[in-house]
Amino acid sequence: AATPLRPARRTTRCGVAVEAAWANCAAMPPPLQLAVFDFDQTLSACHVYYALSGGDGGVTVLPPYARSERGQIAKIAELDALPQFASRGGFAAVAFGGSERISQLQAFFEDLRTAGVECVVCSRGYVGPIRKCLDQVGLLAYFSQVYANIGGSSDQLEFDREANQGTPSPQEAFYLGTSANAGWGSKGRLISSCMRERGLHSEEVVFVDDTESEIQSAERVCRTIYVRPAVGMSQRHLD
């Protein structure tokens, strides 16, 4: 049976013993102070950016697609109204693997907050849709910052052009990123910057990602957890 994903309490598996790695992080001095999480297929169970932009994201999304920050926020709102998503709690709930997994993640991050661990997101996607999805599944409050891309790409679609017209609504503006969220280069470089700002050492920081090249960029900076298979942090027991 599945058990809550709580650090340093139980053993779970994401292709590797992810929670065993968390247990090791918690057991070794100095204590863990900062945890940096990728978003797509690490926090979420599918690839949200690819799904919204017309790629293979692991969840079926029909056109029109969106490739800009405001466009993807608007696309999520459109999907939330469709029966196939509304009946399952909305797009974000589906993207995170359903209510049981969301509850497990909420308990996991509550434990990290109780332990005094700061959590941030570092993603190649867009700040706005990431913040919107995290908010809709009750996880946004656990993250002090979301580092990702802002604005839009050069290959925007018609849906993007329509979504980017006019001034953002207050709700949309709440999710949108600013220059403070973007322009950080590699994830390893961003983690190094966060460590310097907080006066942290490598043993006090952990980076969690499902992409091998991103893990490699941070291996000399801090501790790392490689999530495999790339379907989000899992709850399967190790016997």
Side-chain angles (χ1 to χ4, degrees):
T3 56
L5 204 168
R6 298 173 181 269
R9 293 189 183 180
R10 297 177 177 87
T11 302
T12 60
R13 181 172 64 189
C14 293
V16 296
V18 169
E19 190 142 331
W22 280 106
N24 290 336
C25 287
M28 294 172 59
L32 185 66
Q33 297 293 324
L34 176 67
V36 181
F37 294 86
D38 174 49
F39 179 73
D40 288 306
Q41 297 178 301
T42 297
L43 293 175
S44 66
C46 74
H47 202 297
V48 170
Y49 176 83
Y50 284 162
L52 298 176
S53 63
D56 182 10
V59 58
T60 301
V61 173
L62 298 178
Y65 298 115
R67 296 175 182 170
S68 68
E69 186 178 16
R70 291 182 66 186
Q72 292 200 345
I73 291 174
K75 183 63 179 181
I76 292 170
E78 179 184 272
L79 294 173
D80 286 343
L82 298 179
Q84 60 265 44
F85 290 105
S87 64
R88 299 162 65 188
F91 171 78
V94 174
F96 270 76
S99 59
E100 182 179 359
R101 181 172 183 270
I102 291 168
S103 294
Q104 293 166 343
L105 286 171
Q106 289 170 344
F108 173 65
F109 283 106
E110 184 63 32
D111 277 358
L112 287 180
R113 180 159 65 181
T114 299
V117 179
E118 180 186 0
C119 296
V120 303
V121 174
C122 181
S123 171
R124 299 291 179 182
Y126 286 117
V127 174
I130 290 172
R131 284 177 53 86
K132 183 177 180 71
C133 286
L134 289 171
D135 191 28
Q136 290 183 320
V137 298
L139 293 174
L140 182 59
Y142 292 108
F143 296 92
S144 62
Q145 189 60 279
V146 173
Y147 296 102
N149 290 303
I150 59 174
S153 62
S154 59
D155 60 343
Q156 292 187 22
L157 306 173
E158 181 61 30
F159 189 91
D160 295 299
R161 289 188 283 273
E162 293 179 3
N164 281 285
Q165 292 179 359
T167 303
S169 67
Q171 182 182 43
E172 185 182 15
F174 172 75
Y175 295 125
L176 291 172
T178 68
S179 58
N181 304 97
W184 34 266
S186 74
K187 294 187 178 183
R189 184 182 303 171
L190 173 69
I191 296 167
S192 294
S193 177
C194 289
M195 290 168 60
R196 285 194 301 272
E197 290 173 358
R198 294 159 177 79
L200 299 177
H201 301 288
S202 60
E203 295 84 3
E204 298 172 296
V205 182
V206 65
F207 171 54
V208 189
D209 202 297
D210 67 290
T211 302
E212 185 175 10
S213 61
E214 302 286 18
I215 290 292
Q216 290 173 345
S217 80
E219 282 181 336
R220 295 184 180 181
V221 178
C222 65
R223 288 180 278 178
T224 60
I225 296 176
Y226 183 24
V227 177
R228 298 301 299 171
V231 290
M233 296 172 65
S234 167
Q235 288 301 305
R236 292 173 297 175
H237 270 126
L238 288 176
D239 294 331

